[in-house]
């Protein structure tokens, strides 16, 4: 009778250990899954206008913003046929590349809600050639991450 009781205690202890290990594994998996689903910070490139504004400070940005807005509103550059103005809709910004290829060189970045001019689409519509409105930066970005601005 004593040996049956010992075997029963062993089996209960063994099953309890398996249940605890499984519960800890599920808890750890859920913890890491929650950590991996958060969006990473927006990449900052040395030639980004927003990075320069942040470095200059909020006070100088406030002064420069109305001046640049009024000059843009008073003299918008005419667009070439087949082009249109758009805003970047990707929350982390876009990587500007020198050709329509994922393996091509990175030549800069475009920030979230930054105004761009879409010059052309690649034949497969996977890439767009853009020009940033606030400068003379031009390159290719992944398609579907811009939204056409109506009325401009």
């Amino acid at each position: 009778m004593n040996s049956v009781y010992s075997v029963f205690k062993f089996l209960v202890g063994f099953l309890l250990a398996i249940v605890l290990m499984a519960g800890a594994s599920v808890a750890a998996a859920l913890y890491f899954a929650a950590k991996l689903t958060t969006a990473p910070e927006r990449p900052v490139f040395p030639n980004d206008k927003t990075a320069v504004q942040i470095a200059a400070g909020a006070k100088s940005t406030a002064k420069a913003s109305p001046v640049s807005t009024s000059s843009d509103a008073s003299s918008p550059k005419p667009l070439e046929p087949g082009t249109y103005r758009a805003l970047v809709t990707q929350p982390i910004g876009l990587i500007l590349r020198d050709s329509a290829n994922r393996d091509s060189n990175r030549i800069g970045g475009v920030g979230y809600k930054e105004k761009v001019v879409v010059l052309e689409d690649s034949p497969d519509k996977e890439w767009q050639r853009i020009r940033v409105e606030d400068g003379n930066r031009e390159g290719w970005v992944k398609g579907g991450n811009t939204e056409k601005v109506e009325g401009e």
Side-chain angles (χ1 to χ4, degrees):
M1 186 74 164
N2 195 13
S3 66
V4 173
Y5 181 67
S6 298
V7 170
F8 178 73
K9 282 190 343 183
F10 173 76
L11 288 176
V12 169
F14 186 74
L15 290 176
L16 184 62
I18 289 176
V19 168
L20 286 175
M21 292 289 283
S25 298
V26 168
L30 291 175
Y31 173 78
F32 287 117
K35 288 291 186 185
L36 292 174
T37 57
T38 59
E41 290 186 27
R42 180 188 162 283
V44 178
F45 300 98
N47 60 347
D48 279 351
K49 181 180 178 187
T50 54
V52 173
Q53 287 176 345
I54 291 170
K59 189 173 183 180
S60 63
T61 304
K63 290 180 183 177
S65 187
V67 173
S68 64
T69 305
S70 64
S71 66
D72 289 343
S74 64
S75 62
K77 297 178 184 176
L79 297 176
E80 298 86 19
T83 64
Y84 59 91
R85 287 186 171 84
L87 284 176
V88 175
T89 58
Q90 181 60 258
I92 61 171
L94 298 173
I95 298 171
L96 202 59
R97 298 184 183 272
D98 61 359
S99 65
N101 185 345
R102 188 176 192 94
D103 297 327
S104 62
N105 293 329
R106 297 177 181 188
I107 57 174
V110 185
Y112 177 58
K113 295 215 177 192
E114 193 167 346
K115 291 182 181 180
V116 297
V117 175
V118 177
L119 304 172
E120 68 175 305
D121 291 330
S122 65
D124 60 0
K125 305 289 185 203
E126 290 287 322
W127 296 89
Q128 292 178 318
R129 189 167 65 93
I130 65 164
R131 180 177 61 235
V132 181
E133 277 198 347
D134 64 356
N136 55 5
R137 293 182 295 154
E138 190 174 302
W140 291 87
V141 295
K142 192 75 171 149
N145 294 311
T146 60
E147 182 177 290
K148 186 174 183 178
V149 176
E150 298 296 329
E152 287 193 29

